[in-house]
Every structure is written in C-alpha cells, then in structure tokens.
Amino acid sequence: MTQAAEALTAVPNADDWSGVGSWIFDMDDTLYPKEQGVMALVQARINAFIIDAVGLPKDEALVLQKSFLHEYGTSLAGLMANYAVDPEHFLRDVHDVPLDSLEPNPALADMLDRLPGRKFVFTNGARFHADRVLARIGITDRFDGVFAIEDMDLVPKPAPATFRRLLDAFDIDPASAVFFEDTPQNLAPGKALGMRTVLIGDGHGRPLGPHIDHIAPDLLNFLTDLFPEETRP
C-alpha cells in the first residue's frame, strides 16, 4: 500500500463526522465482503447471458463484458446500447443466484441502528436482488430507502444524472452525506456533489484518485472504529 493510501485508510475522529445526516451505501461487495462470492455468481450469469445474446465464445464474451463495464458502467447498459436486449429479462436472469454463501450480519445491523441520521442503499443491481440480499444479511429495516437500477431508469452509477435522481428522490443534502462504495470511479460523482467518500475494499485493482476521502478494507470495522461504543449516540 502506498503512503497516500495508508493515510486515506486511517479513520478520522468521530467528531469530524458529527454533521453527517445521510449515510449512503452501495450494496454488493460493500455491505458484505466480496469474499462471500455473490458477485462472482452474478458475474458468471452475466457472462452466460452475453454468450447467449451475442453469440460469442466465452473468452470473447468476457472481454466484451469488461468493455461494457468500462464504457457504460454496467453490462446491461452496454447491451442495451448495442443489442436488442430486454432489460427486465436480463435483470431477472443474472440476479437469480443462490445466496447461501451470504452470511447474516447482526453486528452490522446493530451498527446501522446506532448511526445518526438516515441510511440509504444505492445499487446498480435490480430491486428484487437488493430485497433478497438485505433480507439475507438481516438489515432490510435499517434503511430509509433503496435506490436500485429501476429507479435510475436503467442509467447506472457513475452517471452524474443518476446521483441527482437519488438526491431528489430522498431530499438528500450532499454536503451532509457520506457515500460508501467498492468501485472507485463510482465515488467521483458523489465527491463532485460535495459528499464525503469512502472506498470499501481494494478497489478491484482500479486506479484511485483525489475523489476518495478514505479507504476501508471492511465496512463494519470502519463504522465500529468511527463510532466506538463510548461515542455512539
């Protein structure tokens, strides 16, 4: 880890976070560790869908899918821009994965309860996928709202217009909001709007930048360190 990244990893004093009124969380690989493997299952189904829809061999389909992610933000956005794909069929198919590997997390549920202010989920995944994941972790009722890909009119993060939709939908003041996300480029529009930003995980090997305020290997540990028992409201 570079010296700059080590500095970003340090947890600030809880007093510095007293003005946060809205806590915004990406879902997949953020609210649960990526090692639990849910997104790997989704990725496999996306690859299979592209192979079937486009008629490419597996290796070429994977290259195409990665190019879609880089250029459009999601595989679905790339498919819709270049092929005749039913988005509802895609979303239902690729998110229909078993969640056996996803562990309930009562400690995270308790920590979310203790956070001052409102809590939101902001995910490029489908709403039914969000419902299943949050229920499996045991944190559904800890959030004041979920903003899924359907609420974005299928225009995913990091599109700036999608961030503005989120703010308008829940009357969020970005200057008093903090955004947690595992994909570095998805944090940039939030930072541009005035949010504090926290990267969860290693960034999947992608470039970091000045739009990232903090880096946390694990969400629960970060929140627990940020608000230790004696400082919680």
Side-chain angles (χ1 to χ4, degrees):
M1 183 179 293
T2 66
Q3 186 175 0
E6 288 176 353
L8 289 171
T9 304
V11 177
N13 188 290
D15 292 340
D16 297 335
W17 295 68
S18 59
V20 175
S22 297
W23 304 79
I24 304 168
F25 300 89
D26 173 53
M27 185 179 70
D28 290 308
D29 291 351
T30 296
L31 288 175
Y32 61 85
K34 69 176 182 179
E35 291 78 14
Q36 294 185 6
V38 174
M39 283 308 295
L41 297 175
V42 173
Q43 181 64 61
R45 292 194 67 89
I46 290 174
N47 291 345
F49 190 98
I50 292 176
I51 289 170
D52 183 63
V54 180
L56 289 176
K58 182 177 180 179
D59 291 348
E60 293 181 27
L62 180 59
V63 171
L64 181 64
Q65 192 264 338
K66 288 182 177 180
S67 72
F68 284 165
L69 284 177
H70 177 75
E71 184 174 355
Y72 298 98
T74 64
S75 300
L76 175 58
L79 284 168
M80 291 177 61
N82 294 277
Y83 300 92
V85 170
D86 178 2
E88 184 175 346
H89 177 211
F90 173 90
L91 291 172
R92 177 64 58 176
D93 186 87
V94 304
H95 290 112
D96 187 18
V97 297
L99 299 180
D100 305 39
S101 64
L102 190 58
E103 299 175 2
N105 195 340
L108 179 60
D110 180 65
M111 191 65 244
L112 291 170
D113 272 341
R114 295 171 182 269
L115 288 181
R118 299 183 297 163
K119 279 80 69 175
F120 303 97
V121 172
F122 185 25
T123 175
N124 280 348
R127 178 166 291 276
F128 93 94
H129 176 61
D131 291 344
R132 293 178 67 221
V133 168
L134 297 179
R136 175 70 179 176
I137 299 173
I139 55 176
T140 300
D141 60 357
R142 269 59 176 189
F143 292 99
D144 296 276
V146 174
F147 205 72
I149 191 69
E150 295 93 337
D151 303 300
M152 306 172 190
D153 283 347
L154 306 179
V155 179
K157 298 176 289 185
T162 291
F163 281 74
R164 289 190 290 270
R165 283 179 179 271
L166 169 76
L167 299 181
D168 291 343
F170 298 115
D171 193 23
I172 296 171
D173 175 9
S176 64
V178 56
F179 179 34
F180 298 83
E181 165 76 59
D182 68 293
T183 303
Q185 63 263 36
N186 287 351
L187 290 167
K191 184 63 178 177
L193 288 165
M195 297 179 186
R196 307 180 202 191
T197 57
V198 182
L199 177 69
I200 301 298
D202 60 7
H204 307 285
R206 299 173 186 175
L208 309 183
H211 59 282
I212 298 172
D213 294 324
H214 302 283
I215 300 173
D218 176 84
L219 174 63
L220 178 59
N221 288 343
F222 181 85
L223 294 177
T224 302
D225 289 344
L226 184 61
F227 290 106
E229 191 72 38
E230 63 271 16
T231 68
R232 294 175 193 172

